[in-house]
Amino acid sequence: MPEAQKSSDIGMKRGRTLANLPASAQLDLIAEGLPILMKSAGDLLAAARSLEGHPRSSSILLGHSLEEVAKILVLMDIVRCPPKIRPSRFGPMMQWFYDHLARLLYLDAQSWRPMHVRQLQEYLDDQRRSHYLEGSIGEYILPNSTLAGRESLLYADIITYEEGDPIWSEPSNHEPVFGFAGGNPRPWEVCCALRDFGAFTRAGLDVVSDVWSRLDFKDEVSATEADRLSHEMALALQTTGLITEQANEDQLGYLYRSWQLPVYRMDFKRIEVSLDELKDQRDANFWSEVGY
């Protein structure tokens, strides 16, 4: 690794330096970081549970916990990415690692059921627009609901709507999308299953990389292929003796049905939508509704 050349080279948010390491050293560093991220997420999750009588505080901690989980999922998609294209995908994926919207969409995506990679990108495109129309015929213009939900939970702030009048927004106390009612959040359970099946060990990362890099997930590659590779990965982890005593059969369901298709070729960047575009769409919705 080259020495720091400027002051901004020193400090946190330096994950993109992974791209400068040899392939084996990249997996070494990821294997070192996965238990750290799991502990960080687990500690925050436990703290969130202890504050269930304080819904906003609990939801904030839960949200922070799950953004740590999203970082794990990003790293595991780097591992699943075929080595021949991995260098070109490191930059975008490490941007997702640090981007709130990308991390939140990573979490949302764990519950989506696309038929193939192209459809998954279409789902993402719907969710990464900067603004959208709300209401029975789309009469209201609102900011991206994923980011707005996060920020309205964290902060009191002055906001404006289309009329331009500033008003105060009080922090919300709503229950989070990933609550505790049905047990642990699904993305957390996916990561626990991967850990307990040995995928987070250094040898386990080699298994994950070897199995998943056999296929480049793009275009019309289907979810059936992901199911097949999940099965092959589980068998390979068993054959190499990496599955821990903590693993159980129920966790296979999270590996087969809740770990999303690899998204290393996806675009998570926010789509900026202009006010004129939103107004034109609203007018089109209105005239369609009245039958003009």
Side-chain angles (χ1 to χ4, degrees):
M1 285 288 294
E3 291 185 358
Q5 300 298 308
K6 51 187 183 296
S7 59
S8 60
D9 291 337
I10 300 171
M12 299 186 76
K13 296 188 176 181
R14 298 291 297 160
R16 67 178 182 272
T17 57
L18 267 170
N20 301 327
L21 298 174
S24 180
Q26 290 170 355
L27 297 189
D28 290 344
L29 193 59
I30 290 174
E32 182 181 339
L34 290 171
I36 295 173
L37 285 167
M38 286 293 288
K39 184 178 187 306
S40 177
D43 288 347
L44 290 166
L45 185 61
R49 284 190 177 278
S50 72
L51 293 175
E52 289 190 36
H54 303 272
R56 179 181 171 225
S57 299
S58 177
S59 296
I60 289 172
L61 289 174
L62 177 60
H64 283 317
S65 169
L66 288 170
E67 288 203 45
E68 292 287 75
V69 168
K71 288 156 74 173
I72 295 171
L73 296 172
V74 172
L75 291 177
M76 292 305 292
D77 267 349
I78 289 175
V79 177
R80 291 200 286 181
C81 184
K84 64 181 180 180
I85 65 169
R86 193 179 293 164
S88 67
R89 300 309 300 158
F90 250 112
M93 295 182 77
M94 291 315 298
Q95 288 180 3
W96 308 341
F97 187 86
Y98 293 115
D99 183 79
H100 291 301
L101 178 59
R103 293 196 303 229
L104 293 171
L105 293 180
Y106 241 92
L107 296 169
D108 287 346
Q110 301 308 305
S111 63
W112 299 344
R113 289 293 167 267
M115 293 184 295
H116 45 66
V117 174
R118 191 185 303 279
Q119 188 174 58
L120 179 56
Q121 182 65 70
E122 292 170 358
Y123 290 171
L124 284 171
D125 291 347
D126 287 340
Q127 300 302 314
R128 61 192 182 98
R129 293 166 61 86
S130 64
H131 294 78
Y132 71 104
L133 298 178
E134 181 66 280
S136 59
I137 58 171
E139 58 266 40
Y140 305 112
I141 298 175
L142 296 176
N144 181 280
S145 60
T146 300
L147 282 178
R150 177 184 183 276
E151 292 172 357
S152 67
L153 180 66
L154 287 171
Y155 309 116
D157 198 5
I158 295 172
I159 63 172
T160 58
Y161 292 105
E162 190 175 356
E163 299 80 7
D165 298 324
I167 59 174
W168 277 100
S169 171
E170 187 175 349
S172 61
N173 275 320
H174 62 77
E175 292 296 325
V177 174
F178 301 101
F180 299 119
N184 284 323
R186 181 179 298 180
W188 170 251
E189 290 287 8
V190 169
C191 289
C192 288
L194 288 166
R195 177 199 61 197
D196 294 346
F197 272 72
F200 286 175
T201 64
R202 181 60 184 84
L205 292 182
D206 281 334
V207 170
V208 174
S209 178
D210 177 64
V211 170
W212 286 91
S213 64
R214 298 170 190 168
L215 185 61
D216 185 357
F217 276 78
K218 61 181 179 179
D219 301 330
E220 305 296 326
V221 176
S222 71
T224 302
E225 294 292 341
D227 293 341
R228 177 179 63 82
L229 292 181
S230 291
H231 180 67
E232 290 182 13
M233 179 190 72
L235 289 178
L237 291 169
Q238 181 182 39
T239 300
T240 52
L242 294 172
I243 298 179
T244 71
E245 294 181 355
Q246 287 71 41
N248 61 74
E249 189 172 345
D250 291 341
Q251 289 179 310
L252 287 172
Y254 290 107
L255 296 181
Y256 293 166
R257 294 186 293 275
S258 297
W259 195 16
Q260 188 53 271
L261 296 168
V263 299
Y264 43 76
R265 286 191 177 273
M266 298 287 151
D267 190 351
F268 281 82
K269 185 179 179 180
R270 187 168 81 161
I271 299 172
E272 296 298 334
V273 185
S274 71
L275 185 58
D276 286 343
E277 181 181 344
L278 291 160
K279 288 181 175 179
D280 288 346
Q281 183 60 56
R282 182 171 60 187
D283 289 344
N285 291 349
F286 173 77
W287 292 116
S288 175
E289 181 69 18
V290 299
Y292 179 74

